[in-house]
């Protein structure tokens, strides 16, 4: 792959010598000249390296996204050709009782899962950060459900939620008849949220823990020297310093909750009485069971706009300009 | 460390909270292993028996004999291996380009790559299905694999990691007359090991768990991956065989568990790396 050295390029006086000193910083004058003469070749290499990913993203992310936007203004059932219907699909999803309910259910789920998730993760991260021993054991234990397949985790919980299964037996001293975990509209959502908290807490805890470990020790020591009590140290020193990571974790949890599908599909499939029918389930149901590609795409666009707004908030938080460089 | 309480006694409550949550975390997993070894009649026995009266090994045999689980595992392995190698090859290249080359349009390409995090499969499900159908890829490995062959996360992680590599290494290699591909393979990639192992781990586990896209694209039994197979198994039986279901769940988790235990440091570090962006 070595390129022949163009005649116009000044060749370093003795190449063997420069090779043996290759780890040393080179005179900037020489480097500047080399960059200039090679810049075009390097530009092409830059494009070549990034091209495969750009093609894949264009074909399987951007293009489908554009198709979704177009489809959301069309009526299409796979069998007859698509027909332009203007805003009818949006009108439909904002008036049809089931789709309106799914938007509300998703909102309830996103709030209902994110709050316990990030609070539990925060408390656990603070505790794991503080304890002197067994930190690694608890990190591993809490993180393991994160790497489990969600469908598999949901199947396991399905057997725990089984009538007179383990959960019913654990609470039988309090509730002898058992709880309709997944079969009553009131309990189904909290049950699915419990599974989510069980599976995902470790992930957010690790991110927060990384944030805690990144706090310079001087801050903590200074607070200790001041004689601040543990709680006031946590409240006045640690938590304010952890705010960027905590905001990041909140946004990540919201984005992930907005996309949740697997555990719902396994545990409730939207039931009972549509009590857990979140937007991604409704997209799947409309698109692939009723073959209403138009309304399904309109719902997809609503989900997209939601994810975009949250992501933009995140980027504002994390100084997009700096990261783009 | 001054931040830590000096006396062990002060940690009692803290350890109690952690142990409580650890019990909450581990109970379902231990229940699954325990239940997978029980005869069907003992799984939902009241009161719950802790250990099986005899170990029901047939729970682990039947799904592989009677249902198509050998095939489901083969499919999952093929998909997960390709969807690990793909990001491992392609995303560091893109990350390198975005971090270390300058060319017109680089910022726009980077913004484009970043913005794909706003386009998850849940948003493009319907049109992506139509596109893959037009390509004739329904019920093929191409259909299962191609949309997930490169990921935003891996590209971003590699780009961020490569930003930290000093340009001197590249410039020095160029002065030496090394070709660009050689510089990338021999100088840059070896320095990226931590990021590469994070990419490998995340690609493999997320591919192994992926469900929604295979649900749409693999409609034939012979193309199902494990998550689909388990669900199909749950729905297909007259009365679901929970012992066998849990046995399959345990077997499906085993590869991830082994990977997790072998590479535990990299898992935790990778998650921390993911969180430290921004």
């Amino acid at each position: 792959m070595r390129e022949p050295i163009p005649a116009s390029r000044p060749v370093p006086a003795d190449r063997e010598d420069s090779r043996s000193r290759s780890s040393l910083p080179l005179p900037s004058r020489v480097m500047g000249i080399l960059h200039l003469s090679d810049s075009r070749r390097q530009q092409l290499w830059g494009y070549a390296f990034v091209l495969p990913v750009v093609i894949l993203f264009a074909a399987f992310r951007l293009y489908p996204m554009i198709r979704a936007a177009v489809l959301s203004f069309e009526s299409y059932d796979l069998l007859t050709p698509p027909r332009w219907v203007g805003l009818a699909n949006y009108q439909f999803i904002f008036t049809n009782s089931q789709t309106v309910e799914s938007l509300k259910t998703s909102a309830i789920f996103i709030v209902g899962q994110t709050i316990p998730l990030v609070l539990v993760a925060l408390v656990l991260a603070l505790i794991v950060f503080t304890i002197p021993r067994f930190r690694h054991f608890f990190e591993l234990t809490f993180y393991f459900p994160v790497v489990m397949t969600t469908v598999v985790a949901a199947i396991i919980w399905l057997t725990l939620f089984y009538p007179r299964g383990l959960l019913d037996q654990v609470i039988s001293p309090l509730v002898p008849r058992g709880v309709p975990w997944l079969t009553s509209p009131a309990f189904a959502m909290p049950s699915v949220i419990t599974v989510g908290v069980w599976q995902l807490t470790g992930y957010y805890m690790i991110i927060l823990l990384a944030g805690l470990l990144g706090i310079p020790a001087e801050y903590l020591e200074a607070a200790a020297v001041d004689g601040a009590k543990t709680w006031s140290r946590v409240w006045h020193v640690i938590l304010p310093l952890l705010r960027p990571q905590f905001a990041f974790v909140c946004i990540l949890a919201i984005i992930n909750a907005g996309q949740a599908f697997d555990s719902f599909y396994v545990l409730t499939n939207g039931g009972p009485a549509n009590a857990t029918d979140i937007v991604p389930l409704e997209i799947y149901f409309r698109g692939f069971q009723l073959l209403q590609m138009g309304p399904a795409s309109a719902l997809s666009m609503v989900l997209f706009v939601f994810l975009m707004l949250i992501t933009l908030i995140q980027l504002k938080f994390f100084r997009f300009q700096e990261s783009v460089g | 460390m001054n931040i830590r309480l000096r006396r062990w006694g002060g940690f009692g409550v803290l350890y109690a909270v952690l142990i409580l949550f650890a019990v909450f975390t581990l109970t379902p997993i231990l229940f699954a292993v325990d239940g997978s070894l029980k005869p069907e009649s003992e799984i939902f026995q009241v009161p719950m028996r802790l250990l099986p009266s005899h170990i029901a090994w047939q729970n682990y045999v039947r799904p592989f004999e009677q249902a198509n689980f050998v095939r489901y595992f083969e499919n999952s392995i093929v998909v997960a291996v390709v969807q690990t190698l793909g990001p491992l090859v392609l995303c560091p290249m893109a990350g390198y380009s975005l971090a270390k080359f300058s060319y017109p349009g680089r910022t726009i390409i980077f913004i484009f790559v970043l913005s794909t995090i706003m386009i998850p499969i849940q948003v493009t499900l319907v049109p992506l299905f139509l596109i893959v159908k037009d390509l004739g890829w329904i019920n093929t490995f191409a259909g299962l694999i191609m949309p997930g062959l490169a990921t935003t996360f891996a590209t971003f992680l590699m780009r961020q990691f490569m930003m930290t590599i000093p340009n001197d290494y590249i410039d020095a290699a160029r002065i030496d007359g090394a070709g660009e591909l050689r510089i990338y393979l021999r100088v840059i990639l070896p320095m990226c090991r931590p990021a590469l192992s994070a990419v490998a781990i995340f690609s493999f586990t997320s591919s192994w768990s992926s469900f929604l896209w295979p649900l749409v694209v693999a409609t034939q039994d012979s193309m199902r991956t494990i998550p689909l197979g388990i669900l199909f198994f749950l729905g297909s039986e007259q009365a679901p065989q929970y012992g066998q279901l849990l046995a399959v769940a345990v077997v499906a988790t085993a590869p991830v568990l082994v990977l997790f235990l072998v590479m535990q440091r990299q898992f935790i570090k990778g998650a921390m790396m993911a969180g430290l962006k921004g």
Side-chain angles (χ1 to χ4, degrees), chain A residues 2 15 22 34 42 45-47 61 64 78 133 135-136 140 159 169 198 233 259 265 293 300 323, chain B residues 3-4 15 25 31 45 48 97 101 104 116 122-123 127 130 152 159 172 174-176 180 231 242 264:
Chain A
R2 185 176 293 196
R15 292 188 51 77
S22 62
L34 287 179
Q42 281 172 21
W45 274 106
Y47 287 121
R61 306 279 188 100
L78 289 182
R133 298 187 63 185
R135 185 190 282 185
H136 191 59
L140 281 185
T159 56
Q169 294 193 28
W198 173 82
R233 234 178 292 162
Q259 299 171 21
Y265 188 85
M293 301 299 174
S300 292
S323 130
Chain B
I3 177 62
R4 291 169 181 168
Y15 278 106
T25 303
F31 169 86
Q45 195 176 315
M48 186 73 62
S97 169
F101 286 81
T116 57
Q122 289 81 349
V123 169
L130 298 176
T152 312
R159 187 260 187 189
R174 277 180 188 151
I175 303 277
D176 284 354
E180 293 297 330
L231 214 64
Y242 280 96
Q264 36 180 281

Side-chain angles (χ1 to χ4, degrees), chain B residues 26-274:
Chain B
L26 292 175
T27 302
I29 296 166
L30 296 176
F31 169 86
V33 175
D34 185 40
S36 74
L37 296 167
K38 282 177 177 171
E40 196 63 25
S41 60
E42 292 175 13
I43 293 172
F44 297 113
Q45 195 176 315
V46 182
M48 186 73 62
R49 46 180 315 147
L50 202 58
L51 295 171
S53 61
H54 64 277
I55 291 182
W57 291 114
Q58 73 269 20
N59 287 341
Y60 281 86
V61 179
R62 288 248 175 84
F64 289 89
E65 283 178 355
Q66 291 170 1
N68 223 347
F69 270 99
V70 176
R71 185 64 201 243
Y72 303 151
F73 268 85
E74 286 170 2
N75 291 343
S76 269
I77 290 168
V78 170
V79 172
V81 166
V82 179
Q83 284 192 333
T84 305
L85 293 177
L88 215 45
V89 171
L90 302 176
C91 296
M93 284 167 54
Y96 180 46
S97 169
L98 293 170
K100 292 296 176 196
F101 286 81
S102 50
Y103 44 82
R106 188 183 72 163
T107 305
I108 291 177
I109 292 176
F110 183 53
I111 291 171
F112 166 61
V113 167
L114 268 190
S115 65
T116 57
I117 44 171
M118 294 181 282
I119 318 180
I121 188 75
Q122 289 81 349
V123 169
T124 54
L125 194 65
V126 168
L128 195 58
F129 172 78
L130 298 176
I131 291 163
V132 165
K133 189 164 139 301
D134 289 344
L135 289 166
W137 284 357
I138 301 297
N139 287 312
T140 65
F141 279 115
L144 278 167
I145 290 167
M146 286 303 282
L149 200 58
T151 61
T152 312
F153 168 72
T155 308
F156 183 72
L157 185 70
M158 292 312 305
R159 187 260 187 189
Q160 297 304 87
F161 193 87
M162 286 175 177
M163 292 288 279
T164 65
I165 297 175
N167 287 332
D168 295 358
Y169 288 100
I170 303 164
D171 292 331
R174 277 180 188 151
I175 303 277
D176 284 354
E180 293 297 330
L181 205 59
R182 192 182 158 81
I183 295 173
Y184 172 67
L185 293 173
R186 292 291 162 81
V187 180
I188 300 297
L189 276 189
M191 285 193 264
C192 294
R193 248 182 231 138
L196 290 173
S197 62
V199 166
I201 284 168
F202 277 95
S203 304
F204 182 84
T205 50
S206 70
S207 175
W208 192 257
S209 332
S210 70
F211 174 66
L212 179 53
W213 178 242
L215 177 69
V216 171
V217 80
T219 52
Q220 273 170 17
D221 189 51
S222 63
M223 287 314 291
R224 289 199 174 106
T225 53
I226 298 170
L228 290 174
I230 293 179
L231 214 64
F232 178 71
F233 188 63
L234 174 69
S236 67
E237 305 282 322
Q238 301 288 320
Q241 300 288 306
Y242 280 96
Q244 295 179 26
L245 202 61
L246 290 173
V248 174
V250 169
V251 177
T253 307
V256 187
L257 177 63
V258 170
L259 190 70
F260 183 64
L261 291 178
V262 172
M263 304 185 74
Q264 36 180 281
R265 294 276 170 197
Q266 287 90 332
F267 267 92
I268 302 294
K269 283 230 181 74
M272 288 185 168
M273 248 189 254

Side-chain angles (χ1 to χ4, degrees), chain A residues 144-164:
Chain A
F144 181 63
V146 177
V147 301
M148 278 181 77
T149 301
T150 306
V151 169
V152 169
I155 291 272
I156 293 171
W157 276 89
L158 200 61
T159 56
L160 296 175
F161 286 134
Y162 198 78
R164 268 171 291 159

